[in-house]
Amino acid sequence: VAPWFDRAAETMPVAERRRLQGHRLHQLVERLAGASPFWRDRLAGVELDRVRTVDDLGRLPFTTKDDLRAHYPYGGWAMPREAAVRIHASSGTSGQPTIVGYTRADVRLFAELNARALVCAGATPADVVHVAYGYGLFTGGLGLHYGSELLGATTVPASGGNSTLQLRLLVDLGADVLACTPSFAMLLAERAAAEGITGLRLRHGVFGAEPWSESMRTKLEQAYSSLTGRPFTARDIYGLSEVIGPGVAMECVAGPGALHVFDDHFVPEIVDPLTGSPAQPGDAGELVLTTLTKQAMPVVRYRTGDVTRLVDGPCPCGRTHQRIGRFEGRVDDMLIVRGVNVFPAAIEQELLADPDLGAGYALVLDRRETLTRLEVRCELADPARTPDPRPVEDRVTRRLASALRVGVTVRCQPPGSLPRTETGKARRVFVRVDDTDPLAP
Ligand SMILES: [Zn+2]
């Protein structure tokens, strides 16, 4: 069975792909400059002849979700509405949705990218692929659906909800691959275990549309392995409707921990979310994407709001696409400590990896002086094992200083002594402005 869907594109030598990207980028800006009032306006003043390689992306302006919202519904497109054969919409968490359009070629590209992603995750044309992402304006269901059909797999358009029916179909139709959100996958696994359901034969999960952690991967892989009695791999699929939908980037079976960006179609950049300047190589920052080949609604340097970093070096699978790390959070969660951008998820990762620490932690931004200081409060896993917490604090301080590149203070407390959030998203960040400890009971 072929380990890729499109070998030439996925294993193209890096230098050759760079030439292809430069060529496509130049064609894109030439096309956009005359495409619509929106694009004429945005590219006014750009010397199009000097946009020849991906290194010239910095000459182009960013595009934000607000830019697209301001031109609702069709104003941000590069073609007349009549050119589109399909519409999707982004979930409008803050009111106005964003309407995205696809020409026939865009629909075909969308399917190809999802076929690539499915193969990355381990799917083959002989498989039954159960798609439990929502079908509709949301891109998840139809994206994976047409990708699976193009791959040649037997595609089950289950859509979301109704876990009883979903479990029955998964067993009766013999699904090999499950595509849905990681939280729904976990719910299905828990119900299957609780109801003693047997006969599942799932081997691979294609999980996305919400951020999920390495510990969630471990839980999902263990849950499905114990249900099926065989190995199960959970892999992360990334995309956003403003760019195309799922299939922008995908983790492969061989190299978990980073996602291949299908960069013959989407060029990734990582920028400092405050200044917009390129992040230092390997540093975390905001993912910015440019679509090279989309027709109806291309985006140039689209600010995704998602935080990740570039991952260099070859992947064992043989794909040569630029990789990015698993997502570390949203730009909205970013803290600024002594002028350095700090992402809470990066702190959590270091804390949860320390065997002497429990899962509870809190971050205190100390603003009593001009330069904000960060105090990390964590809970000891077992005070009997570490009666003197200072060696633990010293070790965690060093690890955090090297991971975050800014000095922090670490204080360990007894288990259960930090505040717990009963409902909703856990509150982790507290601000200190006077001598009152915001975490005092
Ligand atoms: Zn790979």
Side-chain angles (χ1 to χ4, degrees):
V1 175
W4 17 69
F5 178 73
D6 183 344
R7 179 177 190 141
E10 294 174 59
T11 64
M12 182 179 284
V14 171
E16 191 182 326
R17 187 180 294 112
R18 266 185 66 86
R19 283 195 297 276
L20 177 68
Q21 289 172 323
H23 175 69
R24 286 179 167 175
L25 179 63
H26 182 70
Q27 285 188 321
L28 172 73
V29 292
E30 291 231 300
R31 179 160 65 87
L32 289 180
S36 63
F38 172 81
W39 280 111
R40 255 198 306 282
D41 184 44
R42 298 201 61 82
L43 296 180
V46 175
E47 293 175 79
L48 301 180
D49 247 16
R50 299 183 66 182
V51 181
R52 296 277 176 185
T53 79
V54 290
D55 294 334
D56 302 321
L57 275 168
R59 300 177 184 279
L60 300 169
F62 290 116
T63 309
T64 66
K65 196 171 179 68
D66 285 341
D67 293 330
L68 301 179
R69 273 206 203 102
H71 294 83
Y72 176 88
Y74 301 128
W77 290 20
M79 293 179 91
R81 194 273 310 148
E82 292 84 340
V85 299
R86 196 198 294 177
I87 294 286
H88 280 290
S90 72
S91 50
T93 40
S94 40
Q96 189 93 281
T98 305
I99 302 298
V100 293
Y102 301 71
T103 63
R104 227 178 270 285
D106 292 335
V107 164
R108 166 78 195 189
L109 172 65
F110 192 23
E112 276 180 22
L113 295 164
N114 279 279
R116 281 193 204 180
L118 282 159
V119 176
C120 256
T124 75
D127 286 343
V128 173
V129 175
H130 183 102
V131 181
Y133 285 108
Y135 280 62
L137 287 171
F138 172 59
T139 46
L142 290 179
L144 267 304
H145 180 98
Y146 284 106
S148 173
E149 284 192 358
L150 186 63
L151 173 61
T154 308
T155 308
V156 183
S159 198
N162 200 347
S163 54
T164 304
L165 175 63
Q166 301 254 4
L167 284 169
R168 175 163 186 186
L169 292 174
L170 285 167
V171 172
D172 292 354
L173 306 184
D176 303 280
V177 179
L178 171 62
C180 64
T181 61
S183 54
F184 191 62
M186 200 65 232
L187 182 149
L188 288 175
E190 285 164 354
R191 285 205 59 171
E195 291 169 20
I197 286 175
T198 56
L200 280 170
R201 46 172 287 182
L202 286 164
R203 298 192 329 274
H204 303 293
V206 180
F207 300 138
E210 61 192 26
W212 53 295
S213 63
E214 287 300 319
S215 51
M216 182 64 135
R217 188 206 309 276
T218 307
K219 282 199 175 72
L220 284 163
E221 292 188 340
Q222 284 172 353
Y224 280 99
S225 290
S226 72
L227 285 165
T228 61
R230 53 204 284 191
F232 179 86
T233 60
R235 293 294 179 266
D236 193 3
I237 186 166
Y238 174 75
L240 61 172
S241 52
E242 291 83 357
V243 171
I244 199 164
V248 172
M250 182 72 209
E251 236 183 346
C252 68
V253 173
L259 293 82
H260 292 279
V261 180
F262 296 134
D263 56 358
D264 44 338
H265 297 286
F266 312 107
V267 182
E269 297 171 84
I270 306 291
V271 304
D272 182 310
L274 293 180
T275 63
S277 51
Q280 292 301 308
D283 274 8
E286 182 176 3
L287 176 66
V288 170
L289 290 165
T290 297
T291 62
L292 294 175
T293 51
K294 263 181 75 192
Q295 294 182 336
M297 200 190 121
V299 286
V300 170
R301 306 192 81 202
Y302 184 74
R303 304 283 295 249
T304 66
D306 292 314
V307 176
T308 182
R309 62 188 77 220
L310 297 179
V311 174
D312 285 330
C315 182
C317 74
R319 288 179 182 80
T320 53
H321 297 297
Q322 171 70 54
R323 287 190 299 161
I324 53 175
R326 306 243 8 245
F327 289 89
E328 299 175 27
R330 295 278 304 164
V331 167
D332 305 343
D333 300 330
M334 184 180 79
L335 311 173
I336 301 167
V337 180
R338 305 181 83 85
V340 175
N341 305 337
V342 173
F343 297 98
I347 299 176
E348 177 176 302
Q349 190 174 321
E350 297 299 326
L351 299 181
L352 295 188
D354 194 291
D356 288 327
L357 296 180
Y361 73 95
L363 311 176
V364 179
L365 290 169
D366 189 336
R367 297 216 170 118
R368 286 177 294 177
E369 291 166 25
T370 320
L371 277 178
T372 303
R373 302 178 60 86
L374 175 62
E375 192 176 84
V376 178
R377 305 276 191 92
C378 28
E379 293 179 355
L380 291 169
D382 179 6
R385 199 172 65 214
T386 46
D388 179 4
R390 280 171 301 184
V392 182
E393 291 171 348
D394 290 347
R395 179 177 69 223
V396 177
T397 301
R398 282 195 305 273
R399 285 184 63 156
L400 286 174
S402 118
L404 309 176
R405 299 184 193 184
V406 65
V408 301
T409 310
V410 175
R411 274 177 55 192
C412 292
Q413 304 187 185
S417 61
L418 289 168
R420 296 290 192 268
T421 307
E422 294 293 329
T423 54
K425 201 171 146 70
R427 184 176 176 202
R428 300 293 193 188
V429 181
F430 300 81
V431 177
R432 182 169 193 170
V433 289
D434 55 29
D435 286 343
T436 313
D437 179 356
L439 292 176

